[in-house]
């Protein structure tokens, strides 16, 4: 499928771009003609993602790094810029999650998610700033409804993604004068993803989630990719510091109760 946007001659770097939503975003930019680089920890996932991206016809490169390791991220983005040129688009979406109660999880468990989602996002933006094509570059962070909606079993992700939204807004303020826009997309529950496999692992729990979404269904990875394509394009030239829900209306209310319902289903009242 071709995309309704033309990114030919553009370079896109996707941190965490080797599976799920972020890989769909990387593939959408590749189909729209961009040269795409992806980064994640697993050599196998990086290799498979790059093979798939190259099969779409354009140049693609992959890098192994943990977003918690600033030096490793800085080395990777420098190599990507060397091979593909300055970045027109930066997507930051590496994240980790699991359901766990605040009083039960270890301090290391809380720290792991904050380190990946929040500090990792900062590391990716900080390391990439000097490699962004200015003026005109666009950054899109991948946030989550947890950033604004308190959800049981999600204290780590709520804290981390709230931070991601504020990194988005502050960098939009600071980088606007250089011609760099910084926005975030907030996916709702997205079908076929690792995130929802962890949070709603059975058909019964999926139904509980679906029932809490005003539009009555899970989203599709392409619907998140479409928003990223728009946010990074000239059609969004006056949009910066925005945190855009693409969630079927989930964060209007349903998302706040659903994990309480699921917790009762998991553990009883
Ligand atoms: P996923 O398939 O597990 O994607 C996570 C990606 O990040 C993978 O490429 C993973 O590759 C990489 N990653 C994880 N930890 C990393 C680290 N420390 N350093 C570098 N890369 C790392 O998950 P997903 O469900 O599609 O979620 C993607 C994004 O969407 C996340 O930001 C998530 O918070 C957000 N989101 C998802 C949903 C949903 O319904 N799934 C809803 C709201 C928001 P490696 O394992 O190789 O490192
Ligand atoms: N419940 C409670 N604690 C958990 C947990 C769970 N399901 N999974 C991991 N932890 C704890 C570990 O026990 C450990 O704490 P401890 O040392 O006190 O025992 C801590 O979290 C770190 O775990 P570890 O496996 O060492 O971390 P890691 O850095 O290898 O992996 C995770 C990070 C835990 C976030 C891992 O789930 C991951 O890599 N996720 C990426 C994929 C993903 O989550 N996708 C969905 C994105 S929304």
């Amino acid at each position: 499928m071709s995309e309704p946007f033309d990114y030919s001659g553009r370079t896109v770097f996707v941190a965490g771009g080797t599976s799920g939503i972020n890989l769909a975003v990387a593939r959408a930019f590749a189909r729209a003609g961009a040269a795409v680089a992806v980064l994640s920890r697993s050599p196998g996932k990086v290799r498979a993602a790059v093979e798939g991206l190259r099969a779409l016809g354009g140049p693609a490169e992959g890098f192994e790094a943990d977003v918690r390791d600033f030096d490793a991220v800085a080395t990777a983005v420098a190599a990507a810029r060397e091979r593909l040129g300055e970045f027109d688009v930066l997507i930051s979406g590496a994240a980790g999650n699991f359901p766990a109660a605040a009083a039960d999880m270890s301090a290391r468990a809380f720290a792991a998610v904050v380190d990946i989602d929040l500090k990792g996002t900062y590391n990716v933006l900080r390391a990439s700033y000097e490699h962004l094509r200015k003026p005109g570059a666009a950054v899109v962070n991948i946030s989550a409804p947890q950033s604004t909606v308190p959800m049981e079993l999600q204290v780590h992700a709520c804290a981390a993604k709230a931070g991601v939204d504020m990194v988005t807004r502050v960098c939009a303020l600071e980088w606007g004068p250089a011609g760099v826009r910084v926005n975030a997309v907030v996916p709702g529950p997205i079908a076929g993803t690792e995130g929802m496999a962890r949070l709603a692992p059975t058909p019964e729990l999926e139904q509980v989630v679906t029932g809490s979404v005003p539009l009555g269904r899970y989203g599709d990875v392409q619907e998140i990719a479409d928003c990223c394509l728009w946010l990074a394009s000239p059609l969004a030239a006056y949009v910066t510091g925005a945190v855009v829900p693409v969630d079927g209306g989930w964060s209007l209310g349903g998302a706040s109760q659903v994990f309480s319902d699921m917790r009762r289903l998991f553990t009883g009242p």
Side-chain angles (χ1 to χ4, degrees):
M1 188 183 79
S2 65
E3 296 292 343
F5 290 91
D6 182 6
Y7 279 91
S8 42
R10 309 282 176 183
T11 295
V12 180
F13 187 97
V14 187
T18 63
S19 64
I21 291 170
N22 306 321
L23 176 58
V25 172
R27 290 176 61 84
F29 279 102
R31 282 195 300 270
V36 178
V38 292
L39 170 151
S40 84
R41 296 165 301 177
S42 155
K45 286 173 72 173
V46 171
R47 202 177 318 115
V50 170
E51 277 171 18
L53 288 163
R54 286 184 180 154
L56 294 172
E61 299 288 342
F63 301 91
E64 292 156 32
D66 191 317
V67 293
R68 289 169 284 193
D69 179 344
F70 178 80
D71 292 341
V73 173
T75 300
V77 294
R81 185 251 181 95
E82 182 73 25
R83 288 184 215 169
L84 299 178
E86 286 180 313
F87 308 157
D88 299 283
V89 181
L90 172 67
I91 309 283
S92 180
N97 199 1
F98 45 79
D104 295 339
M105 77 171 75
S106 71
R108 279 168 49 89
F110 182 86
V113 171
V114 172
D115 285 350
I116 298 169
D117 295 26
L118 175 53
K119 293 191 197 173
T121 296
Y122 175 74
N123 286 344
V124 167
L125 268 61
R126 173 68 184 86
S128 301
Y129 184 75
E130 70 184 273
H131 304 298
L132 297 177
R133 194 184 313 281
K134 301 182 241 342
V139 178
V140 182
N141 294 324
I142 308 298
S143 184
Q146 285 89 332
S147 71
T148 54
V149 179
M151 295 184 192
E152 291 195 43
L153 310 180
Q154 289 289 277
V155 67
H156 45 351
C158 288
K161 293 290 194 178
V164 168
D165 288 3
M166 289 310 281
V167 169
T168 302
R169 296 182 180 109
V170 173
C171 289
L173 275 176
E174 293 190 2
W175 298 356
V180 176
R181 297 183 299 107
V182 186
N183 294 293
V185 174
V186 180
I190 303 302
T193 58
E194 180 64 23
M196 289 316 293
R198 288 170 178 233
L199 296 181
T202 67
E204 293 74 24
L205 293 175
E206 276 183 20
Q207 269 195 343
V208 177
V209 174
T210 301
S212 68
V213 179
L215 290 185
R217 64 171 177 87
Y218 274 33
D220 184 86
V221 291
Q222 183 62 36
E223 291 174 313
I224 306 308
D226 289 342
C227 187
C228 293
L229 288 166
W230 168 70
L231 272 176
S233 80
L235 289 182
Y238 202 50
V239 181
T240 197
V243 176
V244 183
V246 182
D247 69 349
W250 202 38
S251 47
L252 295 174
S256 63
Q257 181 59 34
V258 69
F259 285 95
S260 312
D261 294 343
M262 293 211 290
R263 182 167 148 98
R264 277 191 286 281
L265 286 170
F266 269 130
T267 60

